[in-house]
Amino acid sequence: QQQQQEVDNIKAESTKAAQLAEKAETELELLETKQNQLLAGIPNLLDNLVPDGSDETQNEEVLRWGDPQDLPTQFGWNDTFKPKWHDDVALGLGGYLAEAAVKMSGTRFVALSRDVAKLERAIANYFMDKHTTDGGYVELSVPLVVGRSALEGTSQLPKFKEDLFAITPESHTCNGEDAYLIPTAEVPVTNIHSGQILDETDLPKKYVAWTPCFRAEAGSYGRDTKGLIRTHQFGKVELVKITSATTSDDEHEALTNDAEECLKDLKLPYRKVRLCSGDIGFSARHCYDLEVWLPGAAEYREISSCSNTGDFQARRMGLRYRPKPPAEDEEGDNNNNNNDDDNNNNNKKK
């Protein structure tokens, strides 16, 4: 009987220990989830080139191309001519169907028709042809619906969840994950190589894609309600480069120049600004905005944003590259090139 009592005591202690272990595992899981959430909310480290500042008024102007004052002479405007907003021009051409779009989809949606719709397609096709033919970019056609992990990889989640259009789980999931419409082609294009180890000899990877983009624009109520400035759906030509760490900065400059050449071809006056610390995006370590002059509004507005994210996105999506084998000098000794295959890639976007 005493022996049975000892067995029962041991079983009770074992059960208690198992319960304590289960409780500890649950608490540890909660702590790890909280830790991951906090870490995911930390933005990228900034490049030393990024100026200090609190908002867009403290961005650094790098250059201007073209002079808005030359437009009257260039287009033969007389002294009484007043440039219209782009939506007023489109409306006059019978190609701006804003009311019909709002009736179908709500505010901040538009529909285009006739020559205006053709113009949108023609500009996008021109950019795609230019980047693939002259710039050596590889054209991609990508899904417009992605799962949560893809958005976590490019850092839209968890911080910018309110800006995304979510798809109900009853309608569709992506491999069991919550599904979303893409806010930019950057997400599916960059995630093409998620979890892969690339060879440095195959870098840079240069991609271009033209897709619709969907953004809820949370917190923008009452802002930029006129024109095609802040809509829930818009078309965008996206450039993405995946590079080695050593060529990252040079490739970022080259990508920005590729975007600038498009504006020059269209003879659109623009300025290039380096975003300050208070205006730069969450995932960027260095970013240029290209702002085009809008004659109707008489101001420069951002039309392209060219960012270098360093290894920020690559680490999140497990994207790495294997460096080139060390070269041998004349005496047969290896040089000091890093041969660690855990180096991360650097991504840029337009």
Side-chain angles (χ1 to χ4, degrees), residues 198 203 242-244 310-311 314 319-321 343-347:
L198 307 176
L203 300 180
I242 300 174
T243 80
S244 68
D311 58 7
L319 173 56
R320 300 176 290 168
Y321 72 87
N343 281 311
N344 294 84
N345 297 275
N346 295 263
N347 307 294

Side-chain angles (χ1 to χ4, degrees), residues 240-261:
V240 170
K241 286 187 178 183
I242 300 174
T243 80
S244 68
T246 54
T247 62
S248 174
D249 291 335
D250 289 341
E251 292 292 350
H252 178 218
E253 297 294 333
L255 178 143
T256 305
N257 182 72
D258 290 337
E260 290 181 68
E261 288 300 316

Side-chain angles (χ1 to χ4, degrees), residues 44-152:
N44 201 352
L45 298 175
L46 300 181
D47 192 289
N48 291 333
L49 292 172
V50 175
D52 291 333
S54 57
D55 56 37
E56 62 183 12
T57 62
Q58 294 176 291
N59 291 339
E60 175 187 320
E61 185 171 309
V62 177
L63 62 82
R64 292 194 182 200
W65 185 91
D67 188 349
Q69 301 301 321
D70 293 338
L71 293 178
T73 301
Q74 182 179 349
F75 293 105
W77 298 344
N78 58 39
D79 294 338
T80 61
F81 178 79
K82 183 178 180 180
K84 295 181 179 181
W85 271 69
H86 54 273
D87 55 338
D88 292 330
V89 174
L91 186 63
L93 293 172
Y96 191 68
L97 309 178
E99 292 183 3
V102 170
K103 183 178 180 181
M104 289 185 289
S105 306
T107 58
R108 296 192 184 276
F109 283 94
V110 298
L112 306 178
S113 68
R114 302 179 185 273
D115 288 342
V116 179
K118 289 181 180 180
L119 178 62
E120 179 187 41
R121 175 166 54 87
I123 292 175
N125 283 339
Y126 175 71
F127 286 173
M128 292 295 291
D129 290 342
K130 179 178 179 65
H131 291 314
T132 54
T133 302
D134 299 340
Y137 290 84
V138 174
E139 181 172 351
L140 289 180
S141 177
V142 292
L144 304 183
V145 176
V146 294
R148 170 177 291 275
S149 59
L151 289 155
E152 289 173 342

Side-chain angles (χ1 to χ4, degrees), residues 26 37 82 174 190 262:
T26 301
Q37 290 174 344
K82 183 178 180 180
C174 295
T190 308
C262 291

Side-chain angles (χ1 to χ4, degrees), residues 99-330:
E99 292 183 3
V102 170
K103 183 178 180 181
M104 289 185 289
S105 306
T107 58
R108 296 192 184 276
F109 283 94
V110 298
L112 306 178
S113 68
R114 302 179 185 273
D115 288 342
V116 179
K118 289 181 180 180
L119 178 62
E120 179 187 41
R121 175 166 54 87
I123 292 175
N125 283 339
Y126 175 71
F127 286 173
M128 292 295 291
D129 290 342
K130 179 178 179 65
H131 291 314
T132 54
T133 302
D134 299 340
Y137 290 84
V138 174
E139 181 172 351
L140 289 180
S141 177
V142 292
L144 304 183
V145 176
V146 294
R148 170 177 291 275
S149 59
L151 289 155
E152 289 173 342
T154 49
S155 71
Q156 276 81 12
L157 284 177
K159 185 174 177 60
F160 302 106
K161 184 177 181 179
E162 292 184 352
D163 288 330
L164 300 173
F165 277 103
I167 297 174
T168 61
E170 295 78 15
S171 175
H172 180 72
T173 60
C174 295
N175 301 316
E177 297 182 345
D178 294 337
Y180 299 84
L181 295 178
I182 63 168
T184 164
E186 170 200 356
V187 179
V189 170
T190 308
N191 274 280
I192 287 287
H193 295 292
S194 175
Q196 295 182 9
I197 300 177
L198 307 176
D199 288 324
E200 185 178 5
T201 53
D202 294 331
L203 300 180
K205 298 283 189 182
K206 301 169 60 175
Y207 296 119
V208 60
W210 174 35
T211 68
C213 303
F214 305 89
R215 298 183 186 177
E217 296 290 351
S220 63
Y221 179 79
R223 295 173 56 194
D224 298 322
T225 57
K226 182 171 177 56
L228 302 171
I229 302 294
R230 196 181 294 272
T231 57
H232 288 317
Q233 176 184 330
F234 57 93
K236 180 159 65 82
V237 174
E238 184 83 16
L239 299 179
V240 170
K241 286 187 178 183
I242 300 174
T243 80
S244 68
T246 54
T247 62
S248 174
D249 291 335
D250 289 341
E251 292 292 350
H252 178 218
E253 297 294 333
L255 178 143
T256 305
N257 182 72
D258 290 337
E260 290 181 68
E261 288 300 316
C262 291
L263 301 180
K264 292 177 181 178
D265 286 353
L266 298 178
K267 296 181 171 55
L268 297 175
Y270 72 91
R271 69 176 183 175
K272 176 181 178 181
V273 298
R274 179 180 287 114
L275 300 194
C276 70
S277 57
D279 194 34
I280 196 169
F282 179 80
S283 64
R285 64 188 293 265
H286 183 203
C287 179
Y288 295 114
D289 270 6
L290 304 181
E291 301 177 347
V292 166
W293 178 257
L294 302 183
E299 63 179 350
Y300 286 98
R301 293 300 299 254
E302 181 254 316
I303 199 71
S304 179
S305 188
C306 305
S307 301
N308 185 347
T309 66
D311 58 7
F312 189 75
Q313 293 176 334
R315 289 183 182 277
R316 289 180 174 230
M317 66 178 65
L319 173 56
R320 300 176 290 168
Y321 72 87
R322 184 178 295 105
K324 301 174 185 176
E328 294 186 356
D329 59 23
E330 293 181 357

